[in-house]
């Protein structure tokens, strides 16, 4: 066992000079983004109806601004409109039944903790300029 550890240490020392990625940079450069900071790369879009999806199981895109929305473990601003008991009053899309299931498939009476922080999967629309080019095309069955 000691010999294996010694070999591992020698290996790590030997590859250390090569492990540093020279010239590797973040797309943002060295600037750190703190929270919901407006950028010259996009502007918040005005509210609109639901947007089309481009692939199966794509989480819906949020068709309104979320600037200033508070989501903590005690409070979720999204639930003010999207909870099942509020959608009749607000006209907002109802949270999917899948958000009330645990990873093991057990149904809960409230939203699952793993689905509580909405913007882990759902993102607001913007007119953001792409950081890199792409040739993405929607799935054939998703095109109207």
């Amino acid at each position: 066992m000691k010999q294996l550890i010694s070999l591992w240490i020698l290996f790590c020392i030997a590859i250390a000079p090569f492990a540093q990625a020279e010239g590797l940079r973040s797309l943002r450069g060295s600037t750190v983004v703190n929270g919901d900071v407006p950028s010259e790369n996009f502007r918040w879009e005005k509210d609109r109806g639901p947007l089309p999806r481009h692939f199966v199981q794509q989480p819906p895109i949020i068709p309104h601004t979320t600037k200033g929305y508070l989501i903590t473990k005690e409070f979720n601003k999204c639930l003010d409109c999207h909870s099942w008991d509020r959608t009749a009053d607000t006209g907002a899309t109802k949270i999917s039944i899948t958000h009330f299931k645990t990873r093991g498939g057990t149904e809960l009476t409230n939203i699952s903790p793993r689905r509580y922080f909405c913007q882990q999967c759902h993102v607001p629309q913007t007119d953001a300029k792409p950081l890199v080019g792409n040739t993405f095309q929607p799935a054939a069955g998703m095109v109207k």
Side-chain angles (χ1 to χ4, degrees):
M1 182 68 171
K2 286 182 181 179
Q3 188 177 24
L4 184 61
I5 293 172
S6 297
L7 286 172
W8 176 249
I9 292 171
L10 285 174
F11 174 76
C12 290
I13 291 170
I15 65 162
F18 304 105
Q20 296 178 359
E22 294 292 326
L24 183 64
R25 294 182 321 135
S26 164
L27 291 174
R28 292 186 181 114
S30 61
T31 307
V32 176
V33 176
N34 293 320
D36 244 352
V37 179
S39 164
E40 69 280 354
N41 293 329
F42 77 93
R43 64 181 166 76
W44 293 99
E45 292 287 330
K46 294 183 173 152
D47 293 1
R48 63 159 87 165
L51 299 165
R53 299 186 199 189
H54 296 293
F55 56 90
V56 178
Q57 300 297 326
Q58 175 188 351
I61 297 172
I62 303 169
H64 58 79
T65 184
T66 58
K67 186 175 184 177
Y69 274 38
L70 179 66
I71 300 178
T72 67
K73 64 182 185 172
E74 288 85 25
F75 179 78
N76 183 328
K77 175 71 174 160
C78 302
L79 298 178
D80 283 355
C81 297
H82 295 279
S83 63
W84 280 45
D85 59 343
R86 300 276 303 141
T87 58
D89 297 333
T90 64
T93 304
K94 193 182 290 186
I95 296 173
S96 168
I97 191 72
T98 61
H99 289 51
F100 292 85
K101 293 183 180 181
T102 65
R103 185 170 293 172
T106 304
E107 290 197 22
L108 304 172
T109 57
N110 207 342
I111 192 166
S112 173
R114 70 189 188 113
R115 301 287 189 118
Y116 182 77
F117 294 95
C118 308
Q119 290 187 3
Q120 288 180 143
C121 300
H122 304 278
V123 295
Q125 63 175 347
T126 70
D127 67 345
K129 298 176 193 121
L131 295 174
V132 295
N134 75 68
T135 57
F136 175 81
Q137 296 294 315
M142 304 302 286
V143 178
K144 291 184 179 183

